[in-house]
């Protein structure tokens, strides 16, 4: 059964389009289970219906025509129950709904299984038999397992718009692809893949600009690979055994195969650009070989894929590949993105970011917020690479993107973008004003920074200083650990740019989702592993170098505050302070006397929250890192799109924990700051003010909005809001309380319901 299952899933995944995938699904299941009919219904969410899309055994003309309302018939029952429905004699069941087009009079046994992905019923898979009988448990298990796998394939098709085209071929209009809100804002730009992925599946469809030029480019790429293979073969001949050498020969033979070249040229003649024609020719052969289910032929399929990538690589390097890079505004789209990808593009042309993985708390999203670039995360497995060069709308509030938007959608978003720009321009007037409540209480409002390029944005935002400088970003865009002098230069620029305003520099916080390209941390469970202070205390040489660079940079500006991340125990703080004193002493001995800066501890782990008072006594301030604190309190990986719906820093437990930390900090006479993303949410910022948090740090782009919110409330109102919020049971209730308060205070424009 396992093997049958694997083969069916493989064949369905390899189908060239959705109709073929569905046709393969029903016929293969009918054969494998030896039943009279197998049928697949897809959910049409727009019309709240299930549509019969493919059948093997019922009237084939019913496909696309039979529509059942969501609650109709046995299919509706399966969707309602969200579990298998196994019926001996369907026509006698009270929910049976006869449909004349399908001619199912002879069918009695019925087994329907829902296809569910992320709690949504995407469709229903049905098998029917002529006998009056119950399906056996192994049959049910088989269909359930298959349905779960098919659901993820189907989800892919939904996301790429294929199901919509099939369900409602006559409706036009742009479909939104739903992901997660990553960084606020809306943008319109051109899909751009940030680096040379050279993967066949990512090649976009495009027409050939000039057939002759495409042919020439293709022949040149093939010739280049031929040369490469010949040279490699010659170079390696003395070193490789004959069997390995044969591999090069196979590749060269494949490359000289008339059919592969001929099909590509035919594709070009038919009007496709060379990469897509090559992709189609290669993948058609790969599919054929994979279907043979023979280990030898499967290996050949991999050879052809490999060859496909090699030629593609040369085509990509050719002149025709990236005309869209000339686009005015582009949107980077990738499965995963690192700081280096962002740092490598001219920021003034970067309109938005779309990441198939990750969530709002992934570092790339945090960086996007710092740069003021709208971002959508966690779109899931979608072949977005194929849309390179197409227009895309990024809605960072709702976590949606629209590919190739229709004129009405484009116009709507253009207006939104203009309204946003107007609001930002209006808020510019607050730049010189403090974050003071209507009754005169001033809360310092700081900006966050990660790269030196953030200095300007942070200064322009009208912030009172830097509340969190994430030093690791400078470590992440290099290919080795930066030395003391290099770090000194960076920190010095940062400190002098803001003096006399404070700059809180956090010591290196790597691990978790922050990887250094030159130092791999291979933890099975990275968020519970070698992170932040745990790493730096184990590597005092790296920590001391950083501390020395910071202390040296502070001689003169004298506005440095040092912050220790990921603290779990008091011993870690004692050790970190001991090393800080050690660095100070060393510098003195070297003739660079350095003042002792204020030091603080990040509270981002539950154990640290419960020991907030003990920790606070050892340092000058606490800083609550709600990004991690929420992750650890709720046991929700901040980087996992699947559970992102559970991640919310307005969770009552998070609020209660913050309240506890504030009380503990204040008991010991230490200020409690908050530097997680929560502070960038205007409603949450007012709440935190009311809870007694002493200062807030938001990304520069959010500073004006947060300031606007704070200036719209009195401290007494904020305290009352906090009192009410701490009494509520759910995130939804708290969110509504805050949104209503913002609206009443005249800030309806910045209320985004989905956030
Ligand atoms: C936090 O955890 O809230 C925080 C500010 O740190 P980071 O997001 O860099 O882990
Ligand atoms: Mg953190």
């Amino acid at each position: 059964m396992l093997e049958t299952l694997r083969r069916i899933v493989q064949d369905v995944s390899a189908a060239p389009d959705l109709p073929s995938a569905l046709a393969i699904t029903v016929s293969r299941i009918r054969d494998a289970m030896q039943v009279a009919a197998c049928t697949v219904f897809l959910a049409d969410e727009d019309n709240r219906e299930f549509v019969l899309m493919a059948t093997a055994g019922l009237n084939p003309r019913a496909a696309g025509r039979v529509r059942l309302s969501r609650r109709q018939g046995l299919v509706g029952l399966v969707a309602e129950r969200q579990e298998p429905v196994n019926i001996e004699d369907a026509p006698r069941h009270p929910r049976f709904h006869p449909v004349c087009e399908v001619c199912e009079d002879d069918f009695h046994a019925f087994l329907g299984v829902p296809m569910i992905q992320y709690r949504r019923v995407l469709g229903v898979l049905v098998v029917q038999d002529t006998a009056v009988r119950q399906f056996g448990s192994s049959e049910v298990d088989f269909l359930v397992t298959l349905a779960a796998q098919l659901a993820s394939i189907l989800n892919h098709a939904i996301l790429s718009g294929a199901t919509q085209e099939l369900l409602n071929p006559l409706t036009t209009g742009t479909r939104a692809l739903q992901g997660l809100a990553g960084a606020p804002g809306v943008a319109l730009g051109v899909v751009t893949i940030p680096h040379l992925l050279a993967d066949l599946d990512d090649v976009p469809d495009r027409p050939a600009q000039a057939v002759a030029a495409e042919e020439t480019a293709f022949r040149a790429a093939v010739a280049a690979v031929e040369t490469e293979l010949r040279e490699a073969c010659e170079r390696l001949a003395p070193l490789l055994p004959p069997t390995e050498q044969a591999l090069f020969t196979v590749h060269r033979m494949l490359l000289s195969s008339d059919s592969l070249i001929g099909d590509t040229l035919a594709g070009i003649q038919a009007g496709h650009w060379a990469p897509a024609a090559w992709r189609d020719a290669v993948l058609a052969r790969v599919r054929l070989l994979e279907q043979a289910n023979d280990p030898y032929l499967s290996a050949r399929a991999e050879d052809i894929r490999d060859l496909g990538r090699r030629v593609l690589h040369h085509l990509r390097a050719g002149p025709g590949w990236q005309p869209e890079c000339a686009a005015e505004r582009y949107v980077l789209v990738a499965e995963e993105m690192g700081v280096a990808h962002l740092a490598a593009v001219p920021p003034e042309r970067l309109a938005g970011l779309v990441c198939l993985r990750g969530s709002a708390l992934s570092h790339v999203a945090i960086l996007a917020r710092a740069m003021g670039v709208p971002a959508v995360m966690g779109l899931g497995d979608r072949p977005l690479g194929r849309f390179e060069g197409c227009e895309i709308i990024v809605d960072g509030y709702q976590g949606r993107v629209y590919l190739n938007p229709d004129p009405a959608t484009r116009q709507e978003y253009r207006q939104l973008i203009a309204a946003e720009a107007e609001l930002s321009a209006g808020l510019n007037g607050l730049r010189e004003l403090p974050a003071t409540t209507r009754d005169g209480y001033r809360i310092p409002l700081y900006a966050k920074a990660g790269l030196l390029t953030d200095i300007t944005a942070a200064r322009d935002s009208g912030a009172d200083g830097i509340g969190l400088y994430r030093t690791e970003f400078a470590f992440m865009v290099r290919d080795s650990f930066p030395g003391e002098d290099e770090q000194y230069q960076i920190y010095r620029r940062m400190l002098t740019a803001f003096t006399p305003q404070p700059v809180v520099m956090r010591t290196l916080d790597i691990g978790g989702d922050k990887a250094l390209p030159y130092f791999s941390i291979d933890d099975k469970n990275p968020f519970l592993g070698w992170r932040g202070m745990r790493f730096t205390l184990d590597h005092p040489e790296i920590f001391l170098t950083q501390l020395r660079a910071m202390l040296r940079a502070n001689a003169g500006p004298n506005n440095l505050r040092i912050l220790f991340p990921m603290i779990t125990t008091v011993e870690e703080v004692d050790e970190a302070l001991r090393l800080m004193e050690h660095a100070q002493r060393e510098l003195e001995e070297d003739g660079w006397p350095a003042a002792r800066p204020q030091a603080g501890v990040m509270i981002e782990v539950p154990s640290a929250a419960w020991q907030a008072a003990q920790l606070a006594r050892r340092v000058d301030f606490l800083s609550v890192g709600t990004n991690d604190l929420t992750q650890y309190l709720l046991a929700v990986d901040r980087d996992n799109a699947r559970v992102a719906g559970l991640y919310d820093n307005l969770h009552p437990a998070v609020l209660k924990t913050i309240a506890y930390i504030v009380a503990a900090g204040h008991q010991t006479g230490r200020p409690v700051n908050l530097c997680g993303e929560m502070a960038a949410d205007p409603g949450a910022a007012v709440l935190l003010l009311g809870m007694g948090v002493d200062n807030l740090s938001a990304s520069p782009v959010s500073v004006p909005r947060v300031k606007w919110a704070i200036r719209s409330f009195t401290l007494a109102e904020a305290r009352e809001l906090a009192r009410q919020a701490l009494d509520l049971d759910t995130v939804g209730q708290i969110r509504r309380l805050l949104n209503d308060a913002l609206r009443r205070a005249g800030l309806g424009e910045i209320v985004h319901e989905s956030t």
Side-chain angles (χ1 to χ4, degrees), residues 482-484 487 491 540-550:
E484 183 180 316
Q487 289 188 54
Y491 304 153
E541 77 290 8
I542 294 172
F543 190 49
L544 281 169
T545 304
Q546 183 174 43
L547 289 172
R548 282 174 57 104
M550 284 181 180

Side-chain angles (χ1 to χ4, degrees), residues 281-480:
V282 170
L283 291 183
R285 277 158 188 78
V286 167
R287 271 195 293 274
L288 262 180
L289 292 171
E290 281 175 350
Q291 269 165 18
N293 196 27
D294 172 293
Y296 175 79
L297 292 179
S298 295
R300 296 292 71 77
E302 209 22 66
D303 284 343
I304 296 193
R305 242 186 205 284
D306 217 32
L307 189 68
R309 280 187 215 113
R310 276 174 186 269
V311 172
L312 187 62
H313 183 73
H314 283 276
L315 281 172
R316 276 183 176 257
W321 182 260
Q322 283 185 323
E324 67 285 346
C325 269
E328 266 297 289
R329 311 275 295 145
Y330 57 89
V331 171
L332 284 187
V333 176
E335 190 168 339
E336 277 169 310
M337 242 179 272
V339 179
H341 292 124
L342 301 190
V345 295
E348 67 284 358
R349 278 168 53 205
L350 182 60
L353 292 180
V354 176
C355 229
L356 304 193
R357 310 245 169 273
S359 72
L361 269 298
S362 305
H363 276 85
V364 65
I366 289 178
L367 214 58
R369 279 198 287 280
M371 295 165 78
V373 174
V376 169
M377 306 289 295
L379 270 177
D381 290 329
R382 298 172 201 226
L384 287 196
R386 289 204 173 198
F387 292 89
E388 189 170 23
C390 296
E391 205 177 32
I392 186 169
I393 289 171
V394 180
D395 184 337
Y397 293 117
Q398 311 292 335
R400 281 191 202 134
V401 305
Y402 300 82
L403 279 163
N404 287 328
D406 56 31
T409 313
R410 189 186 302 117
Q411 183 54 19
E412 188 187 324
Y413 271 91
R414 284 229 162 97
Q415 281 168 358
L416 259 174
I417 292 168
E420 285 261 300
E422 205 180 310
L423 177 66
S424 300
L427 292 179
N428 256 344
L430 298 180
R431 219 188 134 229
E432 305 300 332
L433 299 175
T436 305
T437 58
R438 285 199 349 263
D439 51 354
Y441 175 80
R442 177 170 184 175
I443 179 168
L445 177 56
Y446 298 129
K448 282 188 281 211
L451 294 168
L452 282 176
T453 46
D454 297 340
I455 291 179
T456 317
R459 269 212 304 238
D460 289 351
S461 71
D464 297 315
I466 297 290
L468 175 67
Y469 173 64
R470 292 181 163 104
T471 56
E472 56 276 6
F473 288 165
F475 283 65
M476 287 157 85
V477 290
R478 304 180 78 268
D479 43 26
S480 62

Side-chain angles (χ1 to χ4, degrees), residues 197-213:
L197 295 164
D199 194 344
L200 289 165
D201 297 310
D202 280 325
V203 173
D205 287 316
R206 264 189 226 159
Q209 296 295 346
V211 169

Side-chain angles (χ1 to χ4, degrees), residues 152-171:
S152 81
I153 298 174
L154 208 53
N155 195 39
H156 201 274
I158 290 172
L159 301 174
S160 69
T163 42
Q164 188 55 19
E165 262 172 46
L166 211 61
L167 289 166
N168 294 304
L170 297 180
T171 51

